[in-house]
């Protein structure tokens, strides 16, 4: 579906701040900023998640199967998982912007 929407991975890496995206309800770290990319869909998109903090749940609604993404700690609905051959993992975590918050990391002493 998005095969004609090219991702410039080098530019993407330069544009990402340092930090992580956390659950807006409970604060659990879900995605590293380095895992975020512009999928050209209008939704925050990631190519992977941190640890086992994102739970996958099969949904059979609206006449089709989808994979729902939930915060493993509090169960908040995060979004859905889709196949996307453009990413390093061949999947795209399509996330509801209201379900995550950015938590910037502090530079180590000597970095700036």
């Amino acid at each position: 579906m998005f095969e004609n929407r090219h991702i410039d991975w080098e530019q993407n890496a330069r544009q990402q701040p340092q930090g992580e995206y956390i659950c807006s309800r409970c604060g659990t770290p879900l995605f590293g900023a380095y895992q975020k990319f512009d999928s050209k869909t209008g939704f925050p998109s990631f190519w992977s998640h941190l640890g086992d903090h994102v739970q996958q749940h099969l949904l059979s609604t609206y006449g089709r199967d989808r994979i729902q993404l939930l915060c493993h700690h509090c169960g908040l609905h995060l979004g859905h998982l889709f196949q996307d051959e453009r990413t390093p993992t061949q999947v795209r975590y399509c996330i509801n912007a209201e379900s995550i918050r950015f938590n910037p990391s502090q530079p180590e002493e000597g970095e700036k």
Side-chain angles (χ1 to χ4, degrees), residues 67-85:
I67 297 175
Q68 178 184 35
L69 301 170
L70 306 167
C71 173
H72 189 68
H73 185 261
C74 73
L76 180 67
H77 172 82
L78 302 172
H80 296 93
L81 185 69
F82 297 102
Q83 294 296 315
D84 192 328
E85 295 180 7

Side-chain angles (χ1 to χ4, degrees), residues 6-102:
H6 175 74
I7 299 168
D8 184 339
W9 289 104
E10 288 182 25
Q11 179 181 352
N12 187 75
R14 288 190 304 268
Q15 292 178 341
Q16 297 305 328
Q18 291 188 345
E20 56 193 14
Y21 290 85
I22 62 174
C23 176
S24 63
R25 181 186 291 164
C26 70
T28 297
L30 301 170
F31 305 98
Y34 66 92
Q35 297 167 317
K36 188 173 192 278
F37 71 100
D38 182 4
S39 64
K40 314 281 191 243
T41 62
F43 291 96
S45 296
F46 300 85
W47 52 266
S48 189
H49 63 274
L50 297 174
D52 62 354
H53 301 177
V54 177
Q55 179 181 2
Q56 298 181 11
H57 179 259
L58 182 62
L59 282 180
S60 294
T61 57
Y62 305 110
R64 64 186 182 131
D65 291 339
R66 296 183 293 164
I67 297 175
Q68 178 184 35
L69 301 170
L70 306 167
C71 173
H72 189 68
H73 185 261
C74 73
L76 180 67
H77 172 82
L78 302 172
H80 296 93
L81 185 69
F82 297 102
Q83 294 296 315
D84 192 328
E85 295 180 7
R86 303 171 302 162
T87 72
T89 56
Q90 308 291 295
V91 295
R92 174 173 44 90
Y93 293 71
C94 184
I95 303 300
N96 175 345
E98 296 297 317
S99 70
I100 57 174
R101 286 192 327 259
F102 182 65

